[in-house]
Every structure is written in C-alpha cells, then in structure tokens.
C-alpha cells in the first residue's frame, strides 16, 4: 500500500478486507461509496433499454425530463434489448418507467384475460 501511496484509511480498509477474506465485497463497497458521492452532488444514474439505438438528442431529452421530475441531475446509460420489440424502458434509482411495446402487449393480454 505504501508503494501505491494509498491513504491510511483506505490502506486500513484493504488490510481488514484481506485479513477477513472479504475482498469480494470491494465492488459493493465501491458502488455504495459512488452512490453516496452522487447523492451529495445531486446526481442519480440509471439506464435506458431500447430495442433500437437511441440518439444523443433523445437521451438528453429523457435525462432532462427525468431530472426535472426527480430534482436531480440524471445520467443515463443506453442499452439495447431486442426483446422489447419497440419503445423504451427506463430505470432510475427505484423508479421504473416501462413504455415498451412488449410491456404494452403484456398489459393488453392481462386485460383480455380478465374479461
């Protein structure tokens, strides 16, 4: 740790994780710390799932709309999911907005089964 010039608190944490054979927790610790930093800076991260590529302009509009709704700066990661058929699914924090064709078909099927 000295050769890497790691701060004493981080070195102590790494020693503790090594001693207790808990290095597998390191990614979870990183994610939790990153979440704390994002909260402090008023940011929230999420993902947009689409059957087709999403343009930067569309991504920016979605981020802006969600940012206004959540009162935070939203940063979205785009992922293609061919199972959606069309439309978008957005997951930000604990919020899920599913406007995909697949979900609309599922809702239609459930509605028809009830009748």
């Amino acid at each position: 740790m000295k050769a890497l010039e790691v701060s004493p608190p981080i070195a102590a944490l790494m020693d503790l994780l090594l001693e207790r054979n808990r290095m597998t927790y390191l990614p979870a610790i990183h994610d939790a710390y990153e979440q704390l930093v994002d909260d402090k800076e008023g940011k929230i991260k999420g993902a947009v799932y689409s059957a087709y590529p999403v343009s930067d302009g569309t991504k920016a509009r979605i981020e802006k709309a969600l940012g206004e709704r959540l009162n935070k700066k939203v940063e979205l990661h785009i992922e293609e999911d061919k199972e959606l058929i069309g439309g978008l699914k957005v997951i930000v924090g604990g919020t899920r907005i599913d406007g995909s064709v697949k979900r609309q078909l599922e809702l239609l099927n459930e509605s028809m089964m009830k009748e």
Side-chain angles (χ1 to χ4, degrees):
M1 292 294 158
K2 290 178 185 176
L4 295 173
E5 297 181 14
V6 175
S7 68
I10 298 298
L13 173 64
M14 298 302 281
D15 286 341
L16 181 66
L17 292 173
L18 282 169
E19 282 176 17
R20 304 249 169 110
N21 196 23
R22 301 283 194 263
M23 288 303 286
T24 57
Y25 291 117
L26 202 52
I29 292 167
H30 173 269
D31 292 345
Y33 181 75
E34 191 172 61
Q35 179 69 43
L36 289 170
V37 170
D38 287 347
D39 288 345
K40 184 172 174 89
E41 293 177 351
K43 291 191 299 186
I44 190 166
K45 294 179 182 172
V48 173
Y49 299 88
S50 172
Y52 302 99
V54 174
S55 71
D56 290 339
T58 300
K59 177 185 170 194
R61 287 196 313 270
I62 295 168
E63 287 175 336
K64 182 180 178 195
L66 287 171
E68 290 171 357
R69 184 174 176 188
L70 300 172
N71 285 332
K72 293 190 178 199
K73 181 179 181 342
V74 176
E75 295 178 4
L76 295 174
H77 170 72
I78 307 293
E79 292 190 34
E80 285 189 44
D81 183 354
K82 297 295 183 187
E83 291 184 14
L84 294 180
I85 304 169
L88 298 172
K89 179 171 65 172
V90 181
I91 300 174
V92 179
T95 303
R96 177 182 169 149
I97 302 166
D98 195 339
S100 66
V101 173
K102 179 180 178 181
R103 180 64 182 150
Q104 300 306 315
L105 290 172
E106 289 170 354
L107 291 172
L108 180 62
N109 185 36
E110 290 173 13
S111 175
M112 290 173 57
M113 296 303 260
K114 287 181 182 176
E115 295 177 5

